[in-house]
Amino acid sequence: EVQLVEYGGDAVQAGGSLRLSCAVSGYVPSTYWLGWYRQAPGKKREGLAVISMSGITNYADVAKGRFTISRDSANNTLYLQMTALRPDDTAMYFCATAGSSGPPMTASQALSTVDNFGYRGQGTQVTVSS
């Protein structure tokens, strides 16, 4: 079974940066994607970014230009580097897997499902103050 543990969330001021990390353990099929999504109180989940096992990335519009997803396969760690943070980035951030036993997902499919299916961690809180 895949286990995901996020850490690195913090309270920061607007304009600041944070790097979230996610320790991944267990077997993740090579056709799967890893990604990040977030959920703010009273709002629906929002997929942010995904990365394939081969390093292909895809970002939601809200993340483009400010967030960078990366993966250290040697240390089984997923990262989300966030810059130029805004108060509306305040949310619980989760790492998750996206994939199925069927044909490999496209980057678009992975991004649209990363917040809905698959394994996920317990989340790490990011709070951005103005």
Side-chain angles (χ1 to χ4, degrees):
E1 182 174 321
V2 177
Q3 291 187 323
L4 306 167
V5 179
E6 306 93 335
Y7 53 98
D10 204 349
V12 298
Q13 290 194 325
S17 300
L18 271 179
R19 187 176 79 161
L20 306 182
S21 302
C22 174
V24 182
S25 61
Y27 173 68
V28 180
S30 61
T31 58
Y32 274 40
W33 298 68
L34 294 171
W36 292 92
Y37 71 92
R38 68 186 181 187
Q39 186 165 27
K43 296 187 178 180
K44 62 180 190 177
R45 292 188 296 262
E46 180 177 39
L48 298 171
V50 292
I51 186 168
S52 71
M53 295 297 120
S54 62
I56 298 169
T57 60
N58 191 25
Y59 295 89
D61 287 344
V62 70
K64 286 178 182 176
R66 297 193 302 130
F67 296 176
T68 302
I69 189 171
S70 62
R71 184 173 65 90
D72 181 344
S73 57
N75 291 307
N76 296 318
T77 304
L78 179 71
Y79 300 103
L80 185 69
Q81 178 69 49
M82 304 187 294
T83 63
L85 285 163
R86 310 184 298 232
D88 61 1
D89 292 317
T90 296
M92 186 73 81
Y93 285 70
F94 299 85
C95 66
T97 63
S100 71
S101 58
M105 287 186 173
T106 64
S108 178
Q109 290 171 328
L111 183 62
S112 65
T113 61
V114 70
D115 63 332
N116 208 4
F117 303 107
Y119 299 98
R120 65 199 62 197
Q122 82 291 346
T124 187
Q125 179 67 39
V126 173
T127 302
V128 185
S129 59
S130 57

